C-alpha cells in the first residue's frame, strides 16, 4: 500500500485546479501499460479519452479505446449484474454518451494499491455530469442536467482492466431526470436489462472477486493504526452490531455523500441514515470483501472498502411495505481519515437494483 501521497489525485490535479496536467507526475514502474506515467495518470486519462468529447489537445472521444484497456474477457459487476467482455462495455458506453452528448467524468479521488507485477487496484470516485439530450433505455430525452457520483473499483495489469466492481448511482440519475423511481423499478423488473437479476453464482462471484483469502490485518498484521482492521471493525459495528463505532470513530463534523443524492453532516444524521436502512432489513448480515488504502499517521489516510450484505425486507418504511424478500445489497465506501477518525465518507450501494428486487417481489 502507498505510504504517502506522492502519486495521488491531489498531486496530479494540483488540488483540483487542472483535470489533465501537462506534467503527468512522478514516474512509476508501468510495465505493459500504454505510455502512462503512473497509475493515477492511467486511470484518469483513459477515462477522459473514452468518455469525453475532446482532450486538452483537441482529440475526439474514443469509445473504441475500451478495447485497448479492458480485457476481451473482462468481468464487470455493475448495478444490474455481471457484464462480460470489452465489447459489452463499448456498447454500454455508446448508449450513455449518446444519451448525454456533453458528458463529463470528473475524477474526485483515486485510491490505489498494488504494482505492475501483481496488478494495480484502483478505487476511482468520479462525478458524472451531462445533459440528457437524446433518448436512452430510460425513455425519451428530458433535457435535464444531471450530476451524480460513480465509484469504480478496478484491477488492471498490462494496460488491461480485467475485473471491475462499479456503482453508477443509477437512482440519483433517474431522480434527477425527473422519473419516478418506483415506477421505473417496476418497469425494469418486468423487462430487465442484461445481467438482471443476478443468480447465486454471480452473487457469490461479486462477493469473492479480488477478496483476499485472509484479511490483511490477519495475514500481515502491523503495529499502530491498521486501516484494514479499522475498516472491518467499523463496518461490522455499524451494520451488524450496536453502532457504537459511529461515536467512537467518526468525527462530529463528518460530511457524507451517498446514494440517491443523500448529503448530510454530523454523526446524528449518519446514525439516522443507518437506522433507517437497518429497520428495513432487521436481519441484515454484512461482510467486508476488500480493503485497500494509502497514507500515514501524519498526513492522514484514504481507505476504500468494498462490502456486501444479505437481508430480508421485513420492516421499516423506506422501501414501502415489507415484502419478506431476501435481498442482495452491495456497496463501496471511501473514507478520509484524520487523527484516527473518519472526517469524510462517500458511499454508494445498489439502491435502484434493490428497489427492483423489491418491486419484483411485490408485483411478481
Amino acid at each position: 500500500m502507498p505510504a504517502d501521497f506522492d502519486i495521488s489525485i491531489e498531486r496530479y490535479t494540483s488540488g483540483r485546479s487542472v483535470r489533465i496536467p501537462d506534467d503527468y507526475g512522478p514516474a512509476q514502474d508501468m510495465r505493459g501499460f500504454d505510455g502512462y506515467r503512473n497509475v493515477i495518470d492511467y486511470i484518469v486519462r483513459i477515462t477522459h479519452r473514452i468518455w469525453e468529447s475532446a482532450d486538452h489537445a483537441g482529440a475526439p472521444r474514443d469509445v473504441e479505446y475500451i478495447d485497448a484497456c479492458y480485457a476481451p474477457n473482462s468481468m464487470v459487476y455493475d448495478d444490474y449484474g455481471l457484464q462480460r467482455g470489452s465489447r459489452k462495455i463499448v456498447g454500454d458506453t455508446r448508449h450513455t454518451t449518446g444519451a448525454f452528448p456533453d458528458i463529463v467524468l470528473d475524477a474526485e479521488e483515486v485510491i490505489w494499491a498494488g504494482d505492475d507485477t501483481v496488478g494495480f487496484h484502483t478505487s476511482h470516485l468520479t462525478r458524472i455530469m451531462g445533459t440528457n439530450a437524446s433518448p436512452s433505455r430510460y425513455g425519451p430525452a428530458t433535457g435535464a442536467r444531471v450530476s451524480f457520483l460513480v465509484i469504480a473499483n478496478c484491477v488492471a495489469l498490462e494496460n488491461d482492466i480485467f475485473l471491475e466492481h462499479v456503482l453508477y448511482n443509477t437512482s440519483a440519475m433517474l431522480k434527477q431526470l425527473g422519473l419516478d423511481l418506483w415506477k421505473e423499478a417496476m418497469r425494469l423488473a418486468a423487462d430487465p436489462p442484461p445481467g438482471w437479476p443476478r443468480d447465486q453464482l454471480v452473487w457469490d462471484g461479486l462477493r469473492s472477486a479480488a477478496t483476499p483469502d485472509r484479511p490483511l490485518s490477519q495475514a500481515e498484521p502491523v503495529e499502530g493504526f491498521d486501516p484494514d482492521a479499522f475498516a472491518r471493525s467499523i463496518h461490522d459495528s455499524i451494520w451488524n452490531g450496536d453502532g457504537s463505532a459511529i461515536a467512537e470513530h467518526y468525527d462530529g463534523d463528518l460530511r457524507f455523500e451517498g446514494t440517491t443524492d443523500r448529503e448530510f453532516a454530523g454523526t446524528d444524521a449518519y446514525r439516522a441514515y443507518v437506522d433507517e436502512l437497518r429497520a428495513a432489513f432487521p436481519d441484515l448480515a454484512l461482510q467486508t470483501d476488500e480493503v485497500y488504502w494509502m497514507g500515514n499517521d501524519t498526513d492522514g489516510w484514504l481507505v476504500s472498502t468494498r462490502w456486501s450484505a444479505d437481508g430480508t425486507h421485513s420492516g421499516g418504511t423506506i422501501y414501502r411495505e415489507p415484502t419478506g424478500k431476501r435481498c442482495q445489497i452491495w456497496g463501496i465506501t471511501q473514507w478520509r481519515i484524520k487523527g484516527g477518525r473518519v472526517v469524510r465518507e462517500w458511499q454508494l450501494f445498489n439502491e435502484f437494483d434493490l428497489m427492483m428486487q423489491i418491486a419484483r417481489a411485490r408485483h411478481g
Side-chain angles (χ1 to χ4, degrees):
M1 308 291 172
D4 56 41
F5 297 100
D6 287 348
I7 298 174
S8 65
I9 195 72
E10 179 74 12
R11 297 283 176 86
Y12 188 75
T13 62
S14 299
R16 305 293 306 286
S17 63
V18 297
R19 297 188 60 217
I20 308 293
D22 293 322
D23 177 359
Y24 297 138
Q28 185 177 29
D29 288 339
M30 298 288 288
R31 178 182 55 87
F33 285 82
D34 193 12
Y36 295 97
R37 183 81 169 168
N38 53 55
V39 67
I40 301 290
D41 184 42
Y42 170 70
I43 287 296
V44 173
R45 272 207 287 153
I46 67 169
T47 302
H48 197 272
R49 177 172 174 175
I50 290 166
W51 284 91
E52 297 192 29
S53 57
D55 65 17
H56 63 322
R61 176 187 289 136
D62 187 5
V63 175
E64 292 296 320
Y65 188 57
I66 287 171
D67 278 330
C69 51
Y70 276 81
N73 59 347
S74 60
M75 299 174 64
V76 177
Y77 294 97
D78 67 8
D79 306 59
Y80 295 124
L82 174 60
Q83 315 302 330
R84 293 180 180 272
S86 59
R87 296 313 299 174
K88 177 64 168 62
I89 304 169
V90 169
D92 289 348
T93 304
R94 289 202 178 282
H95 167 267
T96 304
T97 55
F100 298 89
D102 61 350
I103 196 167
V104 170
L105 273 71
D106 191 23
E108 296 196 356
E109 193 55 82
V110 179
I111 303 171
W112 68 272
D115 56 35
D116 64 350
T117 301
V118 299
F120 286 105
H121 293 242
T122 55
S123 184
H124 185 191
L125 176 70
T126 305
R127 193 172 302 274
I128 289 187
M129 296 168 283
T131 307
N132 182 211
S134 298
S136 73
R137 66 171 61 97
Y138 304 109
T142 67
R145 182 80 179 165
V146 301
S147 176
F148 58 92
L149 291 181
V150 177
I151 304 180
N153 279 22
C154 298
V155 188
L157 186 64
E158 296 188 359
N159 215 73
D160 272 348
I161 295 169
F162 59 87
L163 175 66
E164 180 173 354
H165 291 78
V166 58
L167 287 164
Y168 280 102
N169 204 355
T170 305
S171 51
M173 180 190 69
L174 296 176
K175 181 181 175 183
Q176 292 173 30
L177 289 177
L179 300 179
D180 182 291
L181 291 182
W182 282 108
K183 287 182 179 178
E184 193 65 9
M186 287 186 285
R187 182 183 75 82
L188 286 176
D191 184 18
W196 197 92
R198 300 174 201 85
D199 59 25
Q200 189 64 44
L201 186 64
V202 170
W203 179 237
D204 291 343
L206 181 153
R207 306 183 89 177
S208 62
T211 301
D213 294 334
R214 295 176 64 202
L216 291 180
S217 50
Q218 296 177 16
E220 302 175 16
V222 299
E223 294 184 6
F225 183 77
D226 186 329
D228 185 79
F230 185 80
R232 291 175 185 277
S233 65
I234 287 181
H235 278 83
D236 186 58
S237 169
I238 290 174
W239 298 103
N240 299 328
D242 62 6
S244 58
I246 297 174
E248 293 174 7
H249 298 299
Y250 276 72
D251 188 82
D253 295 324
L254 166 79
R255 291 172 58 199
F256 176 93
E257 186 170 359
T259 309
T260 321
D261 292 335
R262 290 179 176 89
E263 287 192 64
F264 52 76
T267 52
D268 288 345
Y270 190 84
R271 184 178 290 277
Y273 160 66
V274 170
D275 288 348
E276 187 175 43
L277 289 178
R278 287 190 57 173
F281 301 94
D283 63 350
L284 188 76
L286 180 143
Q287 67 181 40
T288 297
D289 297 327
E290 184 183 23
V291 184
Y292 51 94
W293 61 88
M294 50 198 301
N296 54 68
D297 288 333
T298 301
D299 299 320
W301 305 84
L302 289 171
V303 177
S304 171
T305 305
R306 180 170 54 82
W307 50 268
S308 57
D310 292 300
T312 307
H313 179 223
S314 57
T317 59
I318 183 174
Y319 300 119
R320 300 186 173 180
E321 290 299 312
T323 60
K325 166 70 174 175
R326 189 73 177 169
C327 293
Q328 302 167 346
I329 307 169
W330 73 279
I332 302 171
T333 301
Q334 287 193 3
W335 285 335
R336 181 171 294 142
I337 299 169
K338 290 283 189 181
R341 301 182 79 84
V342 179
V343 298
R344 288 292 308 270
E345 177 168 316
W346 299 264
Q347 181 209 78
L348 294 183
F349 72 95
N350 58 321
E351 187 157 37
F352 184 66
D353 160 43
L354 178 61
M355 294 171 71
M356 287 173 61
Q357 294 175 54
I358 292 169
R360 188 185 193 202
R362 182 171 285 126
H363 299 284

